[in-house]
Amino acid sequence: MVHANQSLTVIYPISSRLAEALPPALSPADFPAYLTTHPLTHTKHPYLPELATIELARSQLNSAPTTQPVPDHRHTINPTVQLLEVEWTGLPEFLADQSVQPQEKKALVLLYQPGPDAAAKVCTPHGHDVLALKMVMEQLDRKDVARAAGVTIGRIDEILAAAVHKKLIYAPPSSLVREQIFRQGGFEYSSPTRVATFALQWHLTQACDLHCRHCYDRTSRQDMELSQAIHVLDQLYAFSRAHHVDAQVSFSGGNPMLYPFFYELYQEAVDRGFLVAILGNPMEERYVQRVVEIKRPEFYQVSLEGLREHNDYIRGKGHFDRTLAFLDLLRNYDIYSMVMLTLTRANCDEVLALADVLCGRTDLFTFNRLAMVGEGAALASVEIDRFPKFLEAFLGAAESNACLSLKDNLFNLHLAAQNRPLTGGCTGFGCGAAFNFVSVLPDGKVHACRKFPSPIGNIYTQSLNDIYASEPARKYRAGTSSCQDCQLHPVCRGCAAVTHGFGLNVLTDRDPYCFKAH
């Protein structure tokens, strides 16, 4: 409500100045109507009444009480949104810069308040803004809109996401939630309770140009036909929409780029608006270029197992130098690179030396502990009593080497003891198996985690929604009962694959490397 004693110059800073002489007594609410008969409206500034109408609407938004949006199960329009039809283009731009010259042409002006404490925004809406508002208002089906517009459904989702980012539209909250809060030292932690992105780690094929000594699965599995693989993408899309999360496909293998329909499937994932990443081996530039022509991946992950001699013993002669050259190639294509190491007794002393080699050459370097599964069972895990000192040294090196990443959940034991902020651990939620990711194998079997046998369903015979809600998935998601009362539980839970490799029960036994007093 505008009160008569409010100053015209406060509500109408631009239009009142352009009007020059103001009447001594005029209700601010009547100012736009007054300007329709103002001499300057008919001679110098014919857009004055509409400009004043916009300024009044902005002032009313700024002075009105605001409330937080109530979460809903579907997208909703910000209740402060106003679309004004005007006869002049460029009026929002003119409010910010009076050198802009409005033009006589029908246009829309968008006004809204992006947040409770934010000033009202005034802008000329983009066509995509109007489409997003129309879709939500009329509850249009995204696939129908995409088909009518001749674009991918991923493009429609991008338009909606952009409107959400602008706060024109409120998106439903993720329904993938862990509700846990704990305190440590001077910090209070709420585990990132809502998953923003759900990842499908997809082992497309067992085909591989390497034969690593610690490979956890060299069994024969039938690759999917392209139609079957597209069905998996459709399942992921339905799952992401049902749970209101973004979806990521991390293509892995074997070597995923040896899957006979890799590029077609990569394009299909991009068309659905999924984040895409590759966990593979060094490849020739022509393959990387073809990927980038479709879409630059979020990251490309390769593996090194130590310095040259040990790495090539594990992964094959010449692999070390090929990988370093490949990291340079990824940098040339502006692709975020990640290097993963499988930590064993044999390479523990080489990790930090390798980190020095990789500093400035890769964006991220980290490790997974050996899971003594498959051929990895023939290798020796790092000694349990040696592991805490290794983590401590890694933490110290990370202070000066920006590429080092604290992935292992057990880093939090040291951080908590030092009253330092904790990390999100392996996936941002500690162990995220069957929570914010699942693994799909070439034959359609779905596992909670690929590094050890953890079957939870089959994508050929079940929907991803049903697999996620299944009892086996729920058990893996809950993790081991021995960690339930630990204050670090939200960001840790140990590593189930390592626990399994030691012959322990992943649902009841503690990670054997955990050095927290219980």
Side-chain angles (χ1 to χ4, degrees):
M1 175 66 69
V2 177
H3 300 286
N5 60 354
Q6 287 183 284
S7 169
L8 290 177
T9 57
V10 171
I11 300 172
Y12 306 97
I14 306 302
S15 53
S16 65
R17 177 168 57 82
L18 294 177
E20 297 176 358
L22 299 176
L26 179 67
S27 168
D30 295 332
F31 189 58
Y34 162 77
L35 289 176
T36 60
T37 60
H38 195 284
L40 288 177
T41 297
H42 301 286
T43 57
K44 191 174 181 181
H45 305 300
Y47 44 80
L48 263 181
E50 290 192 333
L51 187 69
T53 298
I54 295 169
E55 288 189 297
L56 176 60
R58 178 176 64 181
S59 176
Q60 290 172 332
L61 274 181
N62 283 330
S63 60
T66 57
T67 57
Q68 291 284 0
V70 177
D72 199 350
H73 67 284
R74 60 187 182 183
H75 285 74
T76 55
I77 294 175
N78 180 333
T80 67
V81 165
Q82 298 180 36
L83 275 174
L84 304 182
E85 294 186 34
V86 295
E87 300 294 327
W88 291 82
T89 64
L91 293 179
E93 294 77 12
F94 182 81
L95 282 174
D97 178 5
Q98 281 76 67
S99 67
V100 174
Q101 184 58 50
Q103 301 294 319
E104 190 171 9
K105 184 180 178 182
K106 289 184 180 297
L108 292 174
V109 175
L110 174 64
L111 299 97
Y112 70 103
Q113 207 163 24
D117 300 317
K121 284 186 174 292
V122 180
C123 59
T124 299
H126 192 283
H128 291 164
D129 298 331
V130 177
L131 175 59
L133 292 169
K134 177 180 175 65
M135 287 179 59
V136 174
M137 181 178 295
E138 299 179 14
Q139 294 298 306
L140 301 179
D141 183 86
R142 301 180 192 201
K143 292 181 180 179
D144 291 342
V145 174
R147 192 179 303 112
V151 299
T152 66
I153 194 167
R155 183 69 187 110
I156 297 301
D157 286 340
E158 286 177 2
I159 290 171
L160 281 170
V164 171
H165 181 73
K166 291 179 180 179
K167 305 293 178 65
L168 284 172
I169 291 170
Y170 296 141
S174 165
S175 61
L176 305 184
V177 183
R178 276 180 177 163
E179 296 288 357
Q180 299 182 81
I181 299 174
F182 68 101
R183 294 172 179 80
Q184 173 66 35
F187 301 95
E188 179 177 291
Y189 297 96
S190 171
S191 171
T193 52
R194 294 189 185 274
V195 171
T197 302
F198 180 84
L200 198 70
Q201 188 178 27
W202 195 351
H203 297 261
L204 284 176
T205 180
Q206 299 292 80
C208 190
D209 46 321
L210 303 176
H211 189 147
C212 304
R213 292 178 182 270
H214 62 303
C215 184
Y216 44 74
D217 186 2
R218 295 293 297 183
T219 59
S220 177
R221 298 179 187 271
Q222 180 65 44
D223 288 351
M224 294 183 185
E225 296 294 331
L226 180 59
S227 60
Q228 293 172 311
I230 289 175
H231 170 73
V232 173
L233 294 179
D234 289 339
Q235 286 290 317
L236 178 60
Y237 186 84
F239 180 89
S240 66
R241 295 282 67 82
H243 294 282
H244 314 300
V245 292
D246 293 329
Q248 175 177 308
V249 181
S250 296
F251 293 105
S252 186
N255 185 346
M257 295 178 79
L258 296 181
Y259 175 65
F261 308 108
F262 174 78
Y263 298 103
E264 293 91 336
L265 195 61
Y266 190 86
Q267 180 71 68
E268 291 281 350
V270 169
D271 287 349
R272 285 161 177 75
F274 298 155
L275 302 171
V276 285
I278 300 174
L279 286 65
N281 300 335
M283 299 294 286
E284 295 177 22
E285 182 173 4
R286 60 194 174 100
Y287 298 110
V288 175
Q289 187 172 16
R290 189 171 175 185
V291 166
V292 171
E293 286 172 355
I294 299 172
K295 184 180 181 181
R296 184 176 286 105
E298 297 296 309
F299 62 85
Y300 194 123
Q301 179 180 301
V302 293
S303 296
L304 286 171
E305 307 307 336
L307 299 175
R308 182 178 289 103
E309 182 179 357
H310 180 73
N311 176 81
D312 289 2
Y313 167 75
I314 297 292
R315 290 190 169 266
K317 188 175 180 179
H319 176 268
F320 185 86
D321 290 329
R322 289 199 309 274
T323 301
L324 292 188
F326 186 69
L327 291 173
D328 293 339
L329 178 66
L330 294 178
R331 179 146 294 184
N332 290 341
Y333 278 87
D334 195 28
I335 297 173
Y336 189 94
S337 67
M338 297 170 60
V339 175
M340 180 63 68
L341 174 141
T342 298
L343 185 69
T344 66
R345 189 171 304 181
N347 68 8
C348 187
D349 287 333
E350 297 189 8
V351 173
L352 297 185
L354 178 60
D356 289 339
V357 173
L358 294 175
C359 184
R361 203 161 200 164
T362 187
D363 295 294
L364 184 149
F365 171 49
T366 191
F367 67 89
N368 282 321
R369 282 175 279 149
L370 173 70
M372 293 186 290
V373 175
E375 295 183 4
L379 301 181
S381 294
V382 64
E383 300 90 337
I384 289 176
D385 59 358
R386 184 184 179 191
F387 189 58
K389 285 291 186 184
F390 168 78
L391 291 183
E392 191 173 19
F394 194 101
L395 271 171
E399 293 180 5
S400 58
N401 188 333
C403 78
L404 288 177
S405 175
L406 311 182
K407 182 176 188 286
D408 195 291
N409 296 332
L410 297 186
F411 275 115
N412 283 316
L413 298 181
H414 279 311
L415 295 172
Q418 299 167 18
N419 283 329
R420 292 170 58 183
L422 306 186
T423 76
C426 184
T427 66
F429 303 84
C431 175
F435 177 50
N436 64 329
F437 78 92
V438 297
S439 295
V440 176
L441 308 192
D443 55 7
K445 293 178 181 177
V446 182
H447 286 240
C449 174
R450 184 64 182 101
K451 292 194 297 178
F452 76 105
S454 50
I456 56 176
N458 192 305
I459 201 72
Y460 289 156
T461 58
Q462 300 167 273
S463 72
L464 186 55
N465 268 309
D466 288 344
I467 292 170
Y468 189 89
S470 69
E471 184 65 12
R474 187 197 64 77
K475 288 180 177 179
Y476 285 115
R477 192 155 53 242
T480 175
S481 58
S482 66
C483 293
Q484 296 297 322
D485 295 330
C486 178
Q487 62 184 356
L488 300 180
H489 187 243
V491 290
C492 185
R493 300 163 183 254
C495 177
V498 171
T499 302
H500 174 87
F502 273 83
L504 302 173
N505 187 325
V506 301
L507 300 180
T508 58
D509 294 325
R510 184 170 58 160
D511 184 328
Y513 284 88
C514 177
F515 51 93
K516 186 178 187 297
H518 281 249

